[in-house]
């Protein structure tokens, strides 16, 4: 299936639908199995058609290609809703085989916003979502009183150091983007909940949490447990960063104690803090003795050679090389003659071996890492192509991103030496580790509470714990509780700051990103142990270790055919998702942070 870097867009040609049971027929386990076989075939066949139209659109944006992909995506809703409603009925048939019951659940939970059968509900929801996404897409803030669009304001938030300008951008973005969509969002919640109840779930949040091979409440408890494991590390990072911001801006802007002002962290949502590394970096940390971008240029790398290097990582683990069609059909650089979507993504167009990546590669260190990440999706896609159509996916929605992320973690100095990019004499010494780890933590650790609270807030909205009148207050309370941040200015009760984050109006579940941040370190530590690595975990390289590749491929091949604990155990030996590996990875940084924070009032 196509791009695992974004929400799956699977569709069916107009007029094609899986036949429903006759009204007077009593389904049996045998007839349910027959229906399911046809449903999977329809799903599989039409996925391929839509993948092709979506690829054409994203690599050649025109009015006509947009119309073609829009029609396919609209048809998706009808196919998926029809199949899901039938699956909700058939799931109640006694005596179903475990595999049949599992597939019926997959059909019911792959829809994130089901519309009820009430006449006009689907059309109303589509219109509401189009409107709120339009508000977001056309949204702008202001800088120096002048309008600034979304991508430009994101960039400016990362580079501006004037607190007055940061406050202006933050407040104007949230006011002009979030606030206008609140009423529509309230109605979207009502419609989605009605649809979820028709599929047999208590509410939309329960539907989302039912996609994790465990009771929805048990899954919520698991994510809270993982957060408890990594929270001490986050609090130490928060304490250190707050001190540095206080030193730069003074008490009037950022007090020495309490929460951090959200707009000072280099990101509109304070979700990743790497853009302000210059403010927090320890002395001398920026000079590592090498720069990957410079190394690539010195060795004559071009975009194709960068991709070949990425393939070489996986080949060194014993995984088969990419098919020739990958090199013929992928988009590696931005074409000069047409508009394309440059956002990096990985594709399996025919659900078998038509693997591709879509990028606009630049010869730099960032894109070198992205290539390794995206190819991780491709190797996962090919590994599970032996599974039934409904199992052509990751073990859970955090796995796919985590595979690419843990491979990208492997771009260590040792790996660069192994592939001939870096001279061993120039490998940075241990004195550089603090800077290396702090820079990583500013994104990977800082993200964790944000990755958790987005859906925590929505789950409570969906179940009615948070009423519409409380949307804004509850959002800010949760941001304070988990992230330890506050808005740069008072927020009115009718504001809707959640809507200023893309995934809210787009209705994209977000817990997957929290899981991926945690799982990547579990995968990385497991691979390093299997490779017999003896040094610090953050310097590990398992490049060339075919035993690691064999175990990795065993997990990848499972796809979604088994509960995720089975897949996790196949590679790591553990059935528990845990933040412990992440904590061990950052242990040297944690010790350093504790020393820096000694005598300070950490917490908020």
């Amino acid at each position: 299936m196509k791009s695992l870097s974004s929400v799956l867009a699977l569709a069916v040609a107009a007029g094609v639908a899986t036949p429903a049971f006759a009204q007077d027929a009593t389904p049996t386990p045998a007839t349910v199995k027959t229906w399911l076989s046809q449903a999977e075939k329809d799903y599989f066949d039409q996925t391929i058609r839509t993948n092709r139209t979506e690829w054409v659109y994203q690599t050649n944006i025109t009015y006509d290609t947009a119309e073609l992909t829009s029609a396919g995506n609209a048809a998706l809703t009808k196919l998926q809703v029809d199949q899901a409603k039938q699956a909700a009925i058939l799931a109640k048939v006694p005596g179903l085989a475990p595999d049949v019951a599992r597939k019926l659940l997959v059909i019911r939970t792959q829809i994130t916003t089901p519309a009820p059968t009430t006449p006009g509900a689907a059309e109303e929801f589509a219109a509401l979502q189009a409107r709120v996404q339009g508000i977001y897409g056309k949204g702008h803030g202001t800088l120096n009183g002048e309008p600034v669009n979304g991508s430009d304001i994101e960039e400016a938030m990362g580079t501006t150091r004037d607190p007055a300008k940061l406050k202006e951008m933050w407040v104007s973005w949230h006011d002009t983007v979030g606030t206008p969509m609140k009423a529509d969002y309230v109605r979207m919640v009502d419609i989605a909940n009605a649809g979820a109840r028709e599929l047999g779930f208590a509410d939309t949040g329960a539907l989302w949490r039912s996609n994790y091979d465990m009771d929805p409440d048990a899954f919520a408890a698991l994510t809270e447990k993982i957060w408890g494991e990594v929270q001490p590390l986050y609090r130490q990072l928060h304490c250190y960063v707050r001190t540095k911001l206080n030193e730069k801006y003074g008490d009037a802007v950022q007090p020495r104690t309490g929460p951090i002002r959200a707009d000072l962290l280099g990101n509109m949502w304070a979700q990743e803090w790497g853009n302000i590394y210059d403010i927090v970096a320890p002395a001398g940390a920026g000079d590592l003795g090498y720069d990957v971008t410079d190394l690539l240029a010195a060795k004559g790398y071009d975009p194709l050679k960068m991709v070949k290097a990425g393939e070489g990582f996986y080949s060194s683990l014993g995984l088969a090389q990419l098919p020739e069609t990958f090199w013929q059909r992928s988009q590696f650089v931005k074409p000069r003659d047409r508009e394309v979507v440059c956002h990096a993504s990985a594709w399996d167009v025919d659900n078998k071996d038509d693997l591709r990546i879509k990028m606009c590669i630049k010869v730099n260190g960032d894109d070198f890492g992205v290539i390794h990440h995206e190819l991780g999706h491709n190797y996962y896609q090919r590994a599970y192509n032996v599974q039934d159509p409904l199992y052509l996916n990751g073990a859970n929605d955090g796995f796919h991103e985590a595979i690419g992320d843990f491979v990208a973690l492997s771009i260590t100095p040792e790996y660069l030496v192994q592939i001939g990019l870096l001279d061993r004499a120039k490998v940075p010494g241990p004195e550089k580790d603090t800077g290396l780890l702090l820079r990583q933590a500013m994104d990977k650790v800082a993200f964790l509470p944000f990755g958790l609270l987005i859906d925590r807030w929505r789950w409570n909205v969906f179940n009615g714990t948070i009423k519409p009148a409380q949307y804004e207050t509850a959002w800010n309370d949760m941001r304070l509780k988990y992230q330890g941040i506050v808005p740069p200015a008072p927020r009115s009760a009718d504001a809707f700051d959640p809507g200023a984050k893309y995934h809210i109006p787009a209705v994209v579940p977000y817990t997957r990103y929290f899981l991926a941040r945690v799982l990547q370190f579990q995968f990385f530590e497991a691979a390093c142990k299997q490779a017999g690595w003896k040094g610090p975990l953050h310097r590990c390289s398992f490049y060339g270790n075919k035993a690691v590749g064999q175990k990795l491929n065993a997990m990848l091949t499972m796809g979604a055919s088994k509960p995720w604990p089975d897949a996790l155990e196949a590679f790591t030996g553990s059935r528990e998702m845990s933040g412990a590996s992440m904590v061990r990875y950052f242990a040297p940084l944690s010790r350093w942070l504790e020393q820096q924070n000694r005598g300070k009032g950490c917490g908020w």
Side-chain angles (χ1 to χ4, degrees), residues 81 84-85 88-89 92 115-118 192-201:
V81 169
K85 293 188 187 313
I89 297 171
K92 300 174 183 177
T117 54
T118 308
N193 274 344
R197 286 191 290 270
E198 284 193 9
L199 296 182
F201 301 99

Side-chain angles (χ1 to χ4, degrees), residues 156-391:
M157 288 291 294
T159 57
T160 302
R161 297 293 180 260
D162 182 334
K165 293 180 179 180
L166 289 167
K167 178 179 178 180
E168 177 194 359
M169 288 188 286
W170 193 99
V171 172
S172 62
W173 175 260
H174 285 78
D175 283 349
T176 61
V177 175
T179 303
M181 67 175 71
K182 179 179 178 180
D184 287 343
Y185 188 80
V186 171
R187 179 60 183 149
M188 288 169 63
V189 169
D190 290 340
I191 296 173
N193 274 344
R197 286 191 290 270
E198 284 193 9
L199 296 182
F201 301 99
D203 55 67
T204 306
L207 185 157
W208 291 2
R209 297 192 304 278
S210 295
N211 204 20
Y212 292 97
D213 301 303
M214 58 198 305
D215 177 81
D217 291 339
F219 175 71
L222 172 62
T223 58
E224 195 70 32
K225 169 188 160 295
I226 294 171
W227 168 238
E229 294 170 334
V230 296
Q231 186 188 36
L233 174 60
Y234 176 80
R235 288 171 69 89
Q236 289 295 326
L237 180 66
H238 180 283
C239 191
Y240 172 78
V241 170
R242 182 182 61 196
T243 297
K244 291 298 182 180
L245 290 171
N246 172 258
E247 290 173 358
K248 179 171 180 61
Y249 293 116
D251 293 346
V253 173
Q254 176 55 61
R256 284 175 289 178
T257 60
I260 295 174
R261 207 176 99 172
D263 59 327
L264 303 179
L265 290 164
N267 176 273
M268 180 62 77
W269 307 279
Q271 67 183 66
E272 292 170 329
W273 305 348
N275 285 332
I276 62 162
Y277 182 68
D278 60 294
I279 296 176
V280 307
D287 178 18
L288 301 177
Y290 73 90
D291 180 86
V292 174
T293 299
D294 293 341
L295 296 176
L296 293 169
K299 296 292 185 178
Y301 274 66
D302 59 18
L304 193 60
K305 190 173 181 180
M306 291 167 68
V307 181
K308 286 287 187 181
E311 180 192 42
F313 183 98
Y314 295 91
S315 296
S316 82
L317 303 180
L319 303 181
Q321 291 185 318
L322 295 164
E324 185 60 30
T325 53
F326 172 87
W327 305 102
Q328 297 167 350
R329 298 170 185 171
S330 290
Q331 174 188 292
F332 299 122
V333 297
K334 189 178 189 305
R336 298 180 179 178
D337 60 344
R338 61 187 186 272
E339 293 298 320
V340 301
V341 176
C342 278
H343 182 77
S345 55
W347 301 59
D348 181 3
V349 175
D350 67 354
N351 297 333
K352 185 177 180 183
D353 57 12
D354 189 354
L355 305 171
R356 311 178 191 183
I357 62 170
K358 177 186 60 59
M359 292 183 64
C360 299
I361 298 172
K362 292 180 171 33
V363 181
N364 60 44
D366 286 344
D367 277 4
F368 192 62
V370 171
I371 288 166
H372 285 68
H373 173 96
E374 295 302 334
L375 292 183
H377 292 305
N378 284 144
Y379 280 90
Y380 204 169
Q381 290 162 330
R382 184 172 64 181
Y384 60 54
N385 68 12
V386 297
Q387 298 295 342
D388 292 345
L390 288 170
Y391 295 152

